[in-house]
Amino acid sequence: MNTYHSCLVFLLGLIPLFLAAQDCGENRYLDPITNQVFIYSQQVYANADPYGPFTNDELPMDIYVPLNDTLSKRPVIIFMHGGAFLVGWEGQEPIPAMAEHFAKRGFVFASIEYRLGFNPLDINSSERAVYRAGQDLGAAMRFLAENADLYNIDTTRMIIGGTSAGAITSVQLAYFEENERPASSFGTFLEPSDLGCSTCSGNTDYNSQYIAPFAVLNFWGGVNDTLFINPPRNVPVFSMHGTEDETVHTVYGAPYGADGLFISLYGSVPITERLNSLGIYNELYLLNGAGHEPELDNLVLVPEYLDTMLLFSTPFLHKVLQPKTSAISGNEEVCQGETAYYEVSFTSGSSYCWNVTGGTIVEDNGNSIKIAWTQQGTHLLEVIEKNDVDAVGNAVSLNITVTDPVPTVDFTQELIGFTVTVTDLSTNFDSLTIDFGDGTTETTTQTSSVFNHTYSEAGIFVITISVSNDCTTKAYSEVITIEDVTAIQEMQDLASIYLVPSLAEDVVSIHLLKDNKVWNIQVFNTLGKLMKAISTKENQLDLTINGWNSGVYYVLVRNEDQVRILPFVR
């Protein structure tokens, strides 16, 4: 779903600019990270034939970079001056002030000269001027991509923009397709030369590839047709326009009302409407009562308007550079004393800053963490992502409800004859149930209870206590062995019932009395877990114990007349 911001604003002077995000390092791209900027002046990025009889013009750019910045890959803003495609240069106002502003916030900023000139009496000539400027802007992007290591540029985040003619060129290039090349670019009656393809001019840097812009800054610009704005290019666009602009109208019209001499342009309002209809992120700011390029008064900078331009364009660029952190996944209701894992989707190159109340982070794996919850109540879990260009994202949060403490379960037991006494040691429960293993159970809500139970026969029994509260259920078991002395004495006279362990072969041989009766054999571990149950009439049974853990095991041998318990060690 498209989210865009469109508002009518009055002239804004020097007011506090930006609200800081929660700290996850410096708030790069919003706040200054350095107070020093270095300028690579007059870097020639292309050679191209200008308008008129001349050939092979050198096209320079000034490149502003932040000093004392260790980031190896930085977004770059490539900016074009205004001047109706007739006049202007890379150092004209407000560009130096804008460049200083953005470079101090961590951007590389490149201001370019481009080819100027056209026949004011020929509408086709003005269209060719726009096309030439687009070729030059593309060549500037290729030059910077080719030299990305020198200037520490991230080639996937190349932002283009400008004022007036520079803005017109930038919006056109962002959505230009080669098959939409204007007919005039192939040559006209008055200007017969073919200007060539969009990437066929200026240089062959970066293998003459088209580089898709990351975003566009459109100050007082327009386009000759909004229908060329189409997916799959979804380039975010920032637009600012004066409501009284008579040069490039906010809605539609020819510059200065000179229909037939200049191309009629759709201004920032229909550009925004088109972007909104396609769900492409954009922001539009209309300056009430302002005309064309209000930041300049006879080429003299008007600081109040520059402040307004920066006030809104800076957070726009920060927003489109920010990582889009996913929602936090994990349990939203946990027990006091419980541990739980939480995570967001992983993005290569990103780091993650987690904050939690009511618990302690015991394991941090970047995009995932493990928390031990120590305090009851409703608590906040928050994560902030910083991506590979150190843009800090918005905090993503999740409310966690920590309920009752996790119950503990334990008991002691004492066996005398056929009677067992069980003393409960469990805590933090609402309900307790004891199972004596012979079908007898009792339930209580009291702590430190003592239970007495008498068994009706000898055997191996598993005593289990289960406790529960609103949080969870826990259980603990122990095994008791009740021996019938009389029956065992009778069995002891039967010397033919015995075990022969062969642990090397993971086999225990059970030798039985041959009396044609069915012997029921059960094997338990010391926790009362039934490991195996077998019935046989044979006088010998080989019991395979492969894979069993080391320890003591009990073999319960019984038939309709007698019972015997035989232990062995694994």
Side-chain angles (χ1 to χ4, degrees):
M1 180 178 179
N2 180 41
T3 55
Y4 73 96
H5 181 74
S6 176
C7 70
L8 186 70
V9 299
F10 293 88
L11 181 62
L12 298 172
L14 292 172
I15 64 176
L17 292 188
F18 314 114
L19 296 176
Q22 179 172 341
D23 182 52
C24 190
E26 61 195 12
N27 211 4
R28 189 183 185 97
Y29 308 119
L30 280 179
D31 300 329
I33 62 164
T34 181
N35 58 5
Q36 293 182 298
V37 174
F38 182 79
I39 306 173
Y40 295 89
S41 297
Q42 295 293 295
Q43 304 297 298
V44 175
Y45 71 87
N47 293 81
D49 293 340
Y51 170 75
F54 304 103
T55 59
N56 204 32
D57 244 1
E58 284 190 348
L59 299 175
M61 65 168 67
D62 292 340
I63 305 170
Y64 300 72
V65 298
L67 283 180
N68 305 315
D69 180 28
T70 59
L71 191 63
S72 60
K73 298 296 180 184
R74 300 176 291 216
V76 58
I77 300 171
I78 305 159
F79 206 80
M80 304 178 74
H81 59 79
F85 299 98
L86 292 171
V87 296
W89 67 101
E90 84 284 355
Q92 77 178 40
E93 296 293 358
I95 292 173
M98 293 183 72
E100 289 273 341
H101 171 90
F102 284 112
K104 286 180 178 179
R105 284 159 176 77
F107 292 89
V108 176
F109 191 101
S111 175
I112 72 169
E113 284 195 8
Y114 55 97
R115 287 173 289 174
L116 302 173
F118 65 93
N119 181 354
L121 301 178
D122 181 4
I123 194 169
N124 288 323
S125 183
S126 63
E127 187 176 62
R128 283 166 63 86
V130 177
Y131 186 77
R132 277 193 299 268
Q135 288 179 315
D136 296 344
L137 178 55
M141 295 177 72
R142 294 195 303 273
F143 171 83
L144 291 168
E146 183 77 16
N147 295 280
D149 291 340
L150 175 61
Y151 303 113
N152 291 339
I153 288 172
D154 179 356
T155 59
T156 67
R157 293 177 174 94
M158 305 187 83
I159 301 156
I160 59 176
T163 59
S164 189
I168 292 169
T169 304
S170 298
V171 179
Q172 293 277 157
L173 183 66
Y175 285 95
F176 175 79
E177 296 284 353
E178 196 66 37
N179 60 8
E180 296 172 334
R181 181 179 164 186
S184 64
S185 68
F186 292 93
T188 66
F189 177 76
L190 296 177
E191 298 178 22
S193 63
D194 186 340
L195 298 179
C197 72
S198 62
T199 60
C200 297
S201 175
N203 60 45
T204 58
D205 290 339
Y206 215 61
N207 295 321
S208 296
Q209 295 179 53
Y210 171 81
I211 301 173
F214 182 75
V216 174
L217 297 177
N218 165 34
F219 294 100
W220 354 109
V223 294
N224 62 349
D225 189 353
T226 61
L227 295 181
F228 80 95
I229 299 175
N230 276 311
R233 294 187 184 163
N234 298 307
V235 185
V237 177
F238 172 90
S239 296
M240 182 170 282
H241 223 119
T243 59
E244 303 303 318
D245 193 333
E246 295 295 326
T247 302
V248 179
H249 298 270
T250 56
V251 180
Y252 181 75
Y256 314 107
D259 293 313
L261 290 181
F262 297 103
I263 301 171
S264 292
L265 297 175
Y266 293 89
S268 295
V269 170
I271 289 174
T272 295
E273 291 171 348
R274 176 64 175 172
L275 292 167
N276 290 344
S277 71
L278 297 172
I280 299 171
Y281 183 77
N282 71 96
E283 293 180 9
L284 168 63
Y285 296 88
L286 298 175
L287 304 188
N288 190 44
H292 190 64
E293 294 212 71
E295 81 282 10
L296 296 178
D297 182 6
N298 293 321
L299 297 182
V300 176
L301 182 65
V302 181
E304 293 82 1
Y305 276 109
L306 174 62
D307 293 340
T308 302
M309 294 165 66
L310 298 177
L311 173 67
F312 292 104
S313 61
T314 302
F316 167 83
L317 291 181
H318 177 258
K319 186 170 186 176
V320 297
L321 287 167
Q322 282 182 298
K324 307 301 183 286
T325 310
S326 71
I328 300 172
S329 62
N331 292 337
E332 297 180 43
E333 186 170 322
V334 295
C335 307
Q336 183 182 10
E338 187 178 4
T339 59
Y341 281 97
Y342 299 87
E343 68 175 357
V344 293
S345 298
F346 174 73
T347 301
S348 179
S350 285
S351 58
Y352 301 85
C353 305
W354 293 88
N355 292 295
V356 62
T357 62
T360 302
I361 298 173
V362 296
E363 184 179 312
D364 190 338
N365 300 307
N367 69 307
S368 67
I369 57 169
K370 183 179 181 182
I371 298 175
W373 293 103
T374 57
Q375 299 177 29
Q376 295 185 47
T378 300
H379 300 289
L380 183 68
L381 174 62
E382 186 177 71
V383 62
I384 298 176
E385 180 180 354
K386 179 189 285 188
N387 64 16
D388 56 336
V389 292
D390 281 2
V392 176
N394 294 326
V396 175
S397 61
L398 184 68
N399 288 321
I400 310 295
T401 301
V402 183
T403 60
D404 295 341
V406 177
T408 66
V409 57
D410 194 12
F411 62 85
T412 62
Q413 50 86 12
E414 182 181 9
L415 179 64
I416 301 175
F418 276 60
T419 300
V420 66
T421 300
V422 178
T423 302
D424 173 51
L425 304 175
S426 305
T427 62
N428 300 326
F429 62 85
D430 297 329
S431 177
L432 178 150
T433 299
I434 183 169
D435 185 335
F436 292 97
D438 64 350
T440 304
T441 61
E442 292 184 41
T443 299
T444 184
T445 60
Q446 301 299 313
T447 59
S448 304
S449 297
V450 178
F451 304 92
N452 293 295
H453 179 68
T454 300
Y455 291 90
S456 60
E457 61 178 353
I460 295 178
F461 299 94
V462 180
I463 300 174
T464 301
I465 287 184
S466 300
V467 295
S468 63
N469 59 16
D470 289 340
C471 177
T472 189
T473 298
K474 297 273 189 176
Y476 174 68
S477 300
E478 287 189 8
V479 177
I480 62 170
T481 302
I482 298 177
E483 298 180 344
D484 186 335
V485 177
T486 302
I488 291 176
Q489 183 60 47
E490 292 174 357
M491 291 298 291
Q492 286 174 342
D493 294 336
L494 304 173
S496 58
I497 299 179
Y498 57 91
L499 300 181
V500 180
S502 178
L503 300 183
E505 299 178 3
D506 285 332
V507 173
V508 174
S509 294
I510 305 173
H511 293 261
L512 305 165
L513 182 66
K514 189 172 184 180
D515 57 3
N516 292 320
K517 293 181 179 180
V518 175
W519 291 94
N520 294 311
I521 301 168
Q522 294 175 295
V523 184
F524 297 87
N525 65 14
T526 55
L527 297 178
K529 179 182 178 181
L530 179 64
M531 304 298 295
K532 187 164 288 190
I534 308 170
S535 297
T536 183
K537 285 186 176 182
E538 302 295 325
N539 68 331
Q540 179 177 333
L541 177 68
D542 289 334
L543 177 67
T544 301
I545 59 173
N546 181 42
W548 292 17
N549 294 329
S550 299
V552 178
Y553 293 86
Y554 298 92
V555 181
L556 177 64
V557 182
R558 72 171 77 196
N559 63 17
E560 61 190 54
D561 299 324
Q562 48 210 354
V563 61
R564 189 170 183 187
I565 300 169
L566 303 168
F568 71 90
V569 178
R570 170 81 168 89

